[in-house]
Amino acid sequence: MFTFPILAVRKVIARGIADAAANDGFRNPFYGSRPGKGEKPGLWLVGDEGVYLMSNGKLVDGQQALVIYSEQCHPKGDIDWWDYKRRHFGGDDGIEFIEAERLIPLFDRNMRATHLNIQLSETEVALTLIVR
């Protein structure tokens, strides 16, 4: 399970939309192997050095995507990040695309929620909201 503050998740989505408007669209997380898949508003859950959410709007050279690390798996804040990533995301690097149209209505229906939990299984990405 990976936890992110909802306000930060909203900022990642908004940044992706702004980057897409300024730079002609959304990036494809699958490097062209699945054309049209993930080229819409949303974010990427990335397992790499830690686990983080990343904005998906196209970028110009030198521009950085907005990134927020999960509370459980930040390589600079948690000495056990590698073990946690391997146990809950897998040992390999990877990307899961999550559509904004799935997240925003969920957030808007649950205004008291403060954090998003993302849990991965072999077949699905489960989203849960929590109040802290």
Side-chain angles (χ1 to χ4, degrees):
M1 178 169 20
F2 304 100
T3 306
F4 303 90
I6 289 173
L7 289 176
V9 175
R10 285 182 182 272
K11 287 179 183 179
V12 169
I13 293 169
R15 171 68 183 277
I17 292 169
D19 288 342
N23 301 310
D24 199 30
F26 295 94
R27 293 179 288 152
N28 182 307
F30 306 107
Y31 301 102
S33 65
R34 294 197 247 168
K37 203 69 162 146
E39 296 170 5
K40 56 187 172 181
L43 48 80
W44 299 340
L45 176 69
V46 180
D48 185 13
E49 188 168 322
V51 174
Y52 51 89
L53 296 176
M54 187 165 97
S55 60
N56 72 327
K58 285 186 180 177
L59 304 169
V60 296
D61 287 340
Q63 188 179 12
Q64 299 285 322
L66 181 58
V67 169
I68 57 168
Y69 280 88
S70 78
E71 292 179 352
Q72 299 85 355
C73 203
H74 193 303
K76 293 189 176 145
D78 184 357
I79 60 171
D80 296 322
W81 72 267
W82 171 246
D83 292 326
Y84 194 90
K85 178 200 174 277
R86 188 177 61 227
R87 187 171 55 241
H88 296 282
F89 193 95
D92 293 334
D93 294 349
I95 296 173
E96 291 293 332
F97 178 72
I98 304 172
E99 301 89 353
E101 64 191 21
R102 184 174 174 196
L103 291 169
I104 299 301
L106 181 66
F107 298 160
D108 290 347
R109 283 191 310 269
N110 298 281
M111 296 303 287
R112 291 188 49 224
T114 58
H115 289 74
L116 170 67
N117 282 331
I118 302 175
Q119 189 166 5
L120 304 173
S121 73
E122 293 287 325
T123 59
E124 71 178 8
V125 176
L127 306 174
T128 309
L129 299 183
I130 60 173
V131 177
R132 286 195 181 157

